[in-house]
Amino acid sequence: VSSCTYELIARMDTDDICRKDRFEKQILEFEKEPLLDICGSHIAEFEENLNTIKGIRRVPLNNDEIRKYHRKRDGFNHVTVMFKKNTVLKAGNYQHALLMEDSLLWANMFNIGAKGMNIDESLVYVRAGSDMIERRGGFSYFLKYREGRKKILETGFISKADYYETLLVQLIVAMVPPK
């Protein structure tokens, strides 16, 4: 992030596809709301091609809803975010939290008063298949998740009750066979 030249930074993964109007829509939100620090959207998940949408991962839309939701699950789809460089750096930038660097960053940003929103559209198409499900399962995945959530707990953004509730849910999800 510190190497980026411009104040607004858009994030996505190399194997995902963004809509042609994604950046225009997000920049318009920053222009409408000068205090906005991070803007994301829903994602559409596909397996083989864009004609086979398997699901939509919806996220809350306004700042208060996102903050509340983020106590249990990610309030932003990481691959969709556009954020202000200076706010990210002020929040400490991405920090090591295996599998949860983005979740930790959002918590740190909220802790310094950052404002966020999500656009009520899927602006990014994400490849999702059986190998993604397999990567996110098993006890070793749960242990990594637990360490990431512990770092978020240490920020003070979530309570111990939030921490233990999400661990229990994630343990169940991680241990369910992929089929």
Side-chain angles (χ1 to χ4, degrees), residues 62-127:
N62 71 51
N63 190 65
D64 292 339
E65 293 170 348
I66 295 167
R67 286 178 63 93
K68 182 179 179 185
Y69 189 85
H70 194 68
R71 298 177 100 57
K72 309 278 174 92
R73 298 186 61 197
D74 277 333
F76 297 101
N77 288 311
H78 192 210
V79 299
T80 71
V81 297
M82 180 179 284
F83 48 63
K84 288 183 178 173
K85 174 183 176 177
N86 286 329
T87 307
V88 169
L89 294 177
K90 184 177 175 186
N93 207 345
Y94 286 97
Q95 299 171 16
H96 179 71
L98 195 58
L99 305 175
M100 302 198 69
E101 292 89 349
D102 54 328
S103 302
L104 179 59
L105 176 59
W106 314 149
N108 286 332
M109 288 177 73
F110 283 135
N111 279 341
I112 65 164
K115 303 284 186 258
M117 68 160 297
N118 285 304
I119 295 172
D120 194 12
E121 298 178 57
S122 296
L123 298 180
V124 178
Y125 300 94
V126 175
R127 292 179 201 281

Side-chain angles (χ1 to χ4, degrees), residues 136-138 168-177:
R136 295 188 177 180
L168 177 61
V169 170
Q170 188 60 43
L171 177 62
I172 293 167
V173 170
M175 299 314 293
V176 170

Side-chain angles (χ1 to χ4, degrees), residues 15-31:
D15 62 339
D16 298 332
I17 301 166
C18 69
R19 274 188 14 195
K20 291 179 179 173
D21 61 347
R22 173 196 169 183
F23 304 121
E24 177 184 3
K25 286 182 174 283
Q26 289 179 302
I27 289 169
L28 282 172
E29 294 299 332
F30 281 98
E31 289 173 353

